[in-house]
Amino acid sequence: MGEYKTPGIYIEEIEIGGRPIEGVSTSVAAFIGVTEKGDEYENRPTLITSWSEFVSKFGRYLQTEETLSDEEENRKNEILNMSASVYGFFQNGGKRCYIVKVPDITQSSIVGTDGGPGKRTGLYSLEEVDEVSIIVTPGITDNSIQTQIIAHCEKMKDRIAVLDIPEESGKTDAVDFVKNLSSDKGYAAVYYPWIKVPVEREEKLGGDTEEKIVLEERFIPPSGYVAGVYARTDAERGVHKAPANETLLGVTELKFKITNNDQENLNENNVNCIRSFPGRGVRVWGARTIASNELWRYVNVRRLFMFIEESIEEGIQWVVFEPNDKALWDRVKQSISSFLITLWKNGALMGSTPEEAFFVKCDETTMTPDDIDNGRLVCEVGIAPVRPAEFVIIKIAQLTASAKQ
């Protein structure tokens, strides 16, 4: 309080009630893989906001007349998977992504090393980028690498892995592949099959005086395109909407055609299918994580909780070191409740009233005297997330004259 020495009226601004919580971004992807150029960016997460910026820094898929060894051909395909996936991310609605260029796709390069702040490589380097919410490693289907990616997402708790299945895997192989992956709380989702898309290829042939850009249709892993659908759905509907029954823009063909009968087994085993429908195009036709716990079965539920948890964490940083008394508890409760009411009004939570959609408790029932003595403020939040209508059942009966009586 200031000093008052001159008689008069003094106006002071004070804070009462909670502070507003702003929702965090949920649509920033991170791509890990090899690129045509950009050695100066190696193992440095680099923000990209457009396809042209990616080309400028990391190059396209390059075609030359040189005869390539098997190793060189494999690397060319790895570059193709990476560049085409980033292109598909932006084409399908993505706006921002980080590129982590690595020297090769071995486990040691993709996962990287944890050398401490500023010295982390590969996947570890993304621990320093809080903005990332989607992890993509296009075409990387090695089980040990994917397991490490899932572990990274579970550790960070603010991102989900979008994973691929090997290109030539049949439907039974796809189910067996996913059975070898696990995440109890659903920090990963798998998509199948591979997709054929037009790929921008930089052509440098002997008779040409300058480089040409041509389109070549190739099969690529779907993860980058699906990540773009995540971003588009978040922007148009919100993170609570399942990123399914959404068109995959730019896809001309699927590696395998999937029927309703095929999808029964695939869906039951948490393989998200990509399907082609006459007159409706190619669509993402699955919204499941690989979670064994049914509470985290759906991608949108997992991502909604990630969004709420991180938004609250960042939105109540002002609470730290404030006097831990009832006035503070009430302000925290008000801040979180106001944020959740907005989500409920936007359709992210179940219930016809806020009381049915969530609860927030921050009082003597959530904290013991020992908690308070040791500087702990404990707030309990419960929410009822909206789950997707995965199976729509319409029951139709024949109305007869006798039934009318």
Side-chain angles (χ1 to χ4, degrees), residues 148-177:
Q148 291 282 344
I149 294 169
I150 295 169
H152 166 84
C153 293
E154 291 177 334
K155 175 185 177 182
M156 300 300 293
K157 297 183 179 180
D158 61 358
R159 55 199 63 177
I160 189 171
V162 180
L163 303 177
D164 297 308
I165 290 175
E167 180 178 4
E168 301 299 332
S169 293
K171 287 122 187 175
T172 302
D173 295 332
V175 169
D176 292 339
F177 182 87

Side-chain angles (χ1 to χ4, degrees), residues 316 318-333 336 361-363 366-368 370-380:
I316 63 169
W318 60 270
V319 173
V320 181
F321 295 119
E322 288 291 306
N324 195 5
D325 56 15
K326 188 177 185 303
L328 181 64
W329 305 342
D330 289 342
R331 293 183 69 190
V332 170
K333 181 177 178 179
I336 297 175
K361 295 169 65 176
C362 188
D363 51 36
T366 63
M367 287 169 279
T368 66
D370 182 66
D371 286 325
I372 297 172
D373 290 342
N374 285 280
R376 293 190 290 266
L377 185 154
V378 182
C379 180
E380 294 181 2

Side-chain angles (χ1 to χ4, degrees), residues 18-236:
R19 294 186 185 180
I21 294 175
E22 184 177 349
V24 298
S25 172
T26 57
S27 56
V28 179
F31 289 81
I32 307 175
V34 295
T35 61
E36 183 64 40
K37 64 179 186 180
D39 290 346
E40 65 271 29
Y41 301 107
E42 190 168 283
N43 285 312
R44 288 171 46 199
T46 305
L47 179 63
I48 298 294
T49 58
S50 67
W51 168 244
S52 59
E53 186 178 2
F54 176 85
V55 171
S56 173
K57 292 181 177 178
F58 297 98
R60 291 182 178 86
Y61 162 54
L62 179 63
Q63 178 69 41
T64 68
E65 290 182 326
E66 298 174 0
T67 301
L68 303 178
S69 65
D70 290 343
E71 183 179 344
E72 291 171 330
E73 188 68 30
N74 288 337
R75 184 173 179 83
K76 187 179 78 170
N77 289 332
E78 293 159 7
I79 293 171
L80 163 68
N81 289 341
M82 182 70 167
S83 60
S85 295
V86 174
Y87 180 88
F89 173 75
F90 288 113
Q91 184 181 20
N92 278 274
K95 301 296 183 184
R96 294 162 60 85
C97 68
Y98 283 84
I99 305 298
V100 181
K101 174 184 171 63
V102 293
D104 53 57
I105 62 166
T106 60
Q107 181 173 348
S108 60
S109 293
I110 294 292
V111 177
T113 58
D114 186 358
K119 297 180 180 179
R120 296 181 174 96
T121 65
L123 181 65
Y124 278 108
S125 67
L126 292 174
E127 291 186 5
E128 300 176 8
V129 187
D130 186 58
E131 190 180 5
V132 169
S133 54
I134 306 166
I135 301 289
V136 185
T137 50
I140 306 298
T141 58
D142 180 88
N143 178 266
S144 58
I145 295 177
Q146 290 188 335
T147 299
Q148 291 282 344
I149 294 169
I150 295 169
H152 166 84
C153 293
E154 291 177 334
K155 175 185 177 182
M156 300 300 293
K157 297 183 179 180
D158 61 358
R159 55 199 63 177
I160 189 171
V162 180
L163 303 177
D164 297 308
I165 290 175
E167 180 178 4
E168 301 299 332
S169 293
K171 287 122 187 175
T172 302
D173 295 332
V175 169
D176 292 339
F177 182 87
V178 175
K179 284 182 178 178
N180 290 320
L181 298 172
S182 66
S183 176
D184 289 343
K185 292 192 174 182
Y187 282 94
V190 183
Y191 291 83
Y192 171 85
W194 283 38
I195 55 179
K196 180 178 277 189
V197 299
V199 176
E200 280 195 13
R201 187 186 75 202
E202 193 171 306
E203 203 168 73
K204 202 172 185 180
L205 304 180
D208 296 329
T209 56
E210 56 184 45
E211 299 166 351
K212 294 190 300 184
I213 306 301
V214 298
L215 292 178
E216 173 187 354
E217 289 203 342
R218 294 285 297 267
F219 280 108
I220 69 163
S223 54
Y225 277 66
V226 172
V229 170
Y230 279 31
R232 185 176 76 221
T233 305
D234 290 354
E236 294 179 354

